[in-house]
Coordinates of all heavy atoms in Angstrom, one line a residue:
Chain A
V424 N -25.3 11.4 -36.8 CA -25.4 12.7 -37.5 C -24.8 13.8 -36.7 O -25.5 14.6 -36.1 CB -26.9 13.0 -37.9 CG1 -27.0 14.3 -38.7 CG2 -27.5 11.8 -38.6
D425 N -23.4 13.8 -36.7 CA -22.8 14.9 -35.9 C -22.4 16.0 -36.9 O -22.9 16.1 -38.0 CB -21.5 14.3 -35.2 CG -20.4 14.0 -36.3 OD1 -20.8 13.6 -37.4 OD2 -19.3 14.2 -35.9
L426 N -21.5 16.9 -36.4 CA -21.2 18.0 -37.3 C -20.5 17.6 -38.6 O -20.9 18.1 -39.7 CB -20.2 19.0 -36.5 CG -19.7 20.1 -37.2 CD1 -20.8 21.0 -37.7 CD2 -18.8 21.0 -36.3
M427 N -19.6 16.6 -38.5 CA -19.0 16.1 -39.6 C -20.0 15.6 -40.7 O -20.0 15.9 -41.8 CB -18.0 15.0 -39.2 CG -16.9 14.6 -40.2 SD -15.7 15.9 -40.4 CE -15.7 16.1 -42.1
F428 N -20.9 14.8 -40.2 CA -22.0 14.2 -41.0 C -22.8 15.2 -41.7 O -23.1 15.2 -42.9 CB -22.8 13.2 -40.2 CG -23.6 12.2 -41.0 CD1 -23.1 11.0 -41.2 CD2 -24.8 12.6 -41.5 CE1 -23.8 10.1 -42.0 CE2 -25.6 11.7 -42.2 CZ -25.1 10.5 -42.5
S429 N -23.2 16.3 -40.9 CA -24.0 17.3 -41.4 C -23.3 18.1 -42.5 O -23.9 18.4 -43.5 CB -24.3 18.3 -40.3 OG -24.9 17.7 -39.2
I430 N -22.0 18.2 -42.4 CA -21.2 18.9 -43.4 C -21.3 18.1 -44.7 O -21.6 18.7 -45.8 CB -19.7 19.1 -42.9 CG1 -19.6 20.0 -41.8 CG2 -18.9 19.5 -44.2 CD1 -18.2 20.1 -41.3
Q431 N -21.2 16.8 -44.6 CA -21.3 16.0 -45.7 C -22.7 16.1 -46.4 O -22.8 16.1 -47.6 CB -21.0 14.5 -45.4 CG -19.7 14.2 -44.7 CD -18.5 14.3 -45.6 OE1 -18.2 15.3 -46.2 NE2 -17.9 13.1 -45.8
Q432 N -23.7 16.1 -45.5 CA -25.1 16.2 -46.0 C -25.2 17.5 -46.9 O -25.8 17.5 -48.0 CB -26.1 16.2 -44.9 CG -26.3 14.9 -44.3 CD -27.3 15.0 -43.2 OE1 -27.3 16.0 -42.4 NE2 -28.3 14.1 -43.1
V433 N -24.8 18.6 -46.4 CA -25.0 19.9 -47.1 C -24.2 19.9 -48.4 O -24.7 20.3 -49.4 CB -24.5 21.1 -46.2 CG1 -24.6 22.4 -46.9 CG2 -25.3 21.2 -44.9
I434 N -23.0 19.3 -48.3 CA -22.2 19.2 -49.6 C -22.9 18.4 -50.6 O -22.9 18.6 -51.8 CB -20.8 18.6 -49.3 CG1 -20.0 19.6 -48.4 CG2 -20.0 18.3 -50.6 CD1 -18.7 19.1 -48.0
G435 N -23.6 17.3 -50.1 CA -24.3 16.4 -51.0 C -25.4 17.2 -51.7 O -25.8 16.8 -52.8
R436 N -25.9 18.2 -51.1 CA -27.0 19.0 -51.8 C -26.5 20.2 -52.7 O -27.1 20.5 -53.6 CB -27.9 19.6 -50.7 CG -28.8 18.5 -50.0 CD -30.0 19.1 -49.4 NE -29.7 20.0 -48.3 CZ -29.5 19.7 -47.0 NH1 -29.6 18.4 -46.7 NH2 -29.2 20.5 -46.1
T437 N -25.4 20.7 -52.2 CA -24.9 21.9 -52.9 C -23.8 21.7 -53.9 O -23.5 22.5 -54.7 CB -24.4 23.0 -51.9 OG1 -23.3 22.5 -51.2 CG2 -25.5 23.3 -50.9
F438 N -23.1 20.6 -53.7 CA -21.9 20.3 -54.5 C -20.8 21.2 -54.4 O -20.0 21.3 -55.4 CB -22.4 20.1 -56.0 CG -23.3 19.0 -56.2 CD1 -24.7 19.3 -56.4 CD2 -22.9 17.7 -56.1 CE1 -25.6 18.2 -56.5 CE2 -23.8 16.6 -56.3 CZ -25.2 16.9 -56.5
K439 N -20.7 22.0 -53.4 CA -19.6 22.9 -53.2 C -18.9 22.5 -51.9 O -19.3 23.0 -50.9 CB -20.1 24.3 -53.1 CG -20.6 24.9 -54.5 CD -20.9 26.4 -54.3 CE -21.6 27.0 -55.5 NZ -20.8 27.1 -56.7
P440 N -17.9 21.7 -52.0 CA -17.3 21.2 -50.8 C -16.5 22.2 -50.0 O -16.6 22.3 -48.8 CB -16.4 20.1 -51.3 CG -16.6 20.0 -52.8 CD -17.4 21.1 -53.2
M441 N -15.7 23.0 -50.7 CA -14.7 23.8 -50.0 C -15.3 24.8 -49.0 O -14.8 24.8 -47.8 CB -13.9 24.6 -51.0 CG -12.5 25.0 -50.5 SD -11.6 23.7 -49.9 CE -10.0 24.4 -49.5
P442 N -16.3 25.6 -49.3 CA -16.8 26.5 -48.3 C -17.3 25.8 -47.0 O -17.1 26.2 -45.9 CB -18.0 27.2 -49.0 CG -17.8 27.0 -50.4 CD -17.1 25.7 -50.6
L443 N -17.9 24.6 -47.2 CA -18.4 23.9 -46.1 C -17.3 23.3 -45.3 O -17.3 23.4 -44.0 CB -19.3 22.7 -46.6 CG -20.8 23.0 -46.6 CD1 -21.2 23.4 -45.1 CD2 -21.2 24.1 -47.5
Y444 N -16.3 22.8 -45.9 CA -15.2 22.3 -45.1 C -14.5 23.4 -44.3 O -14.1 23.2 -43.2 CB -14.1 21.6 -46.1 CG -14.6 20.2 -46.5 CD1 -14.4 19.8 -47.8 CD2 -15.2 19.3 -45.7 CE1 -14.9 18.6 -48.3 CE2 -15.7 18.1 -46.1 CZ -15.5 17.7 -47.4 OH -15.9 16.5 -47.9
I445 N -14.3 24.6 -45.0 CA -13.7 25.6 -44.3 C -14.5 26.0 -43.1 O -14.0 26.2 -41.9 CB -13.5 26.9 -45.2 CG1 -12.7 26.5 -46.4 CG2 -12.9 28.1 -44.4 CD1 -11.1 26.5 -46.0
L446 N -15.9 26.1 -43.3 CA -16.7 26.5 -42.2 C -16.6 25.5 -41.0 O -16.5 25.9 -39.9 CB -18.2 26.6 -42.7 CG -19.2 27.0 -41.7 CD1 -18.9 28.3 -41.1 CD2 -20.6 27.1 -42.3
G447 N -16.7 24.2 -41.4 CA -16.6 23.1 -40.4 C -15.3 23.2 -39.7 O -15.2 23.1 -38.4
A448 N -14.2 23.5 -40.4 CA -12.9 23.6 -39.8 C -12.9 24.7 -38.8 O -12.3 24.6 -37.7 CB -11.8 23.8 -40.9
L449 N -13.5 25.8 -39.1 CA -13.5 26.9 -38.3 C -14.2 26.6 -37.0 O -13.8 27.0 -35.9 CB -14.1 28.2 -39.0 CG -13.2 28.8 -40.1 CD1 -13.9 29.9 -40.8 CD2 -11.9 29.4 -39.4
I450 N -15.4 26.0 -37.1 CA -16.1 25.6 -35.9 C -15.3 24.7 -35.0 O -15.2 25.0 -33.8 CB -17.5 24.9 -36.3 CG1 -18.3 25.9 -37.1 CG2 -18.2 24.5 -35.0 CD1 -19.6 25.3 -37.6
Y451 N -14.8 23.6 -35.5 CA -13.9 22.7 -34.8 C -12.8 23.5 -34.1 O -12.4 23.3 -33.0 CB -13.4 21.6 -35.6 CG -14.4 20.4 -35.7 CD1 -15.0 20.1 -37.0 CD2 -14.7 19.6 -34.6 CE1 -15.8 19.0 -37.1 CE2 -15.5 18.5 -34.7 CZ -16.1 18.3 -36.0 OH -16.9 17.1 -36.1
F452 N -12.2 24.4 -35.0 CA -11.0 25.1 -34.5 C -11.4 26.0 -33.3 O -10.6 26.0 -32.4 CB -10.5 25.9 -35.7 CG -9.3 26.8 -35.3 CD1 -8.1 26.2 -35.2 CD2 -9.5 28.1 -34.9 CE1 -6.9 26.9 -34.9 CE2 -8.4 28.8 -34.6 CZ -7.1 28.3 -34.6
A453 N -12.5 26.6 -33.4 CA -12.9 27.5 -32.3 C -13.0 26.7 -31.0 O -12.4 27.2 -30.0 CB -14.2 28.2 -32.6
I454 N -13.7 25.6 -31.0 CA -13.8 24.9 -29.8 C -12.5 24.4 -29.3 O -12.1 24.6 -28.1 CB -14.7 23.6 -30.1 CG1 -16.1 24.0 -30.7 CG2 -14.9 22.8 -28.8 CD1 -16.9 22.8 -31.1
N455 N -11.7 23.8 -30.2 CA -10.5 23.1 -29.7 C -9.4 24.2 -29.3 O -8.6 24.0 -28.4 CB -9.9 22.2 -30.8 CG -10.7 21.0 -30.9 OD1 -11.3 20.5 -29.8 ND2 -10.9 20.4 -32.0
Y456 N -9.4 25.2 -30.1 CA -8.3 26.3 -29.8 C -8.6 26.9 -28.4 O -7.7 27.1 -27.6 CB -8.3 27.3 -30.9 CG -7.1 28.2 -30.8 CD1 -5.8 27.8 -30.8 CD2 -7.3 29.6 -30.7 CE1 -4.7 28.6 -30.7 CE2 -6.2 30.5 -30.7 CZ -4.9 29.9 -30.7 OH -3.9 30.8 -30.6
A457 N -9.9 27.1 -28.2 CA -10.2 27.7 -26.8 C -9.8 26.7 -25.7 O -9.1 27.1 -24.7 CB -11.7 27.9 -26.7
L458 N -9.9 25.4 -25.9 CA -9.5 24.5 -24.9 C -8.0 24.5 -24.8 O -7.4 24.4 -23.8 CB -10.0 23.1 -25.3 CG -11.5 22.8 -25.2 CD1 -11.9 21.5 -25.8 CD2 -11.8 22.8 -23.6
S459 N -7.3 24.5 -26.0 CA -5.8 24.5 -25.9 C -5.3 25.6 -25.2 O -4.3 25.6 -24.4 CB -5.2 24.5 -27.3 OG -5.6 23.4 -28.1

Side-chain angles (χ1 to χ4, degrees):
Chain A
V424 186
D425 71 327
L426 177 57
M427 198 69 229
F428 197 95
S429 308
I430 293 175
Q431 305 284 68
Q432 280 180 323
V433 176
I434 293 177
R436 292 199 293 272
T437 65
F438 296 105
K439 288 188 193 287
M441 201 56 171
L443 262 302
Y444 284 137
I445 299 283
L446 182 56
L449 286 175
I450 298 176
Y451 275 112
F452 180 80
I454 302 172
N455 288 326
Y456 191 56
L458 287 170
S459 299

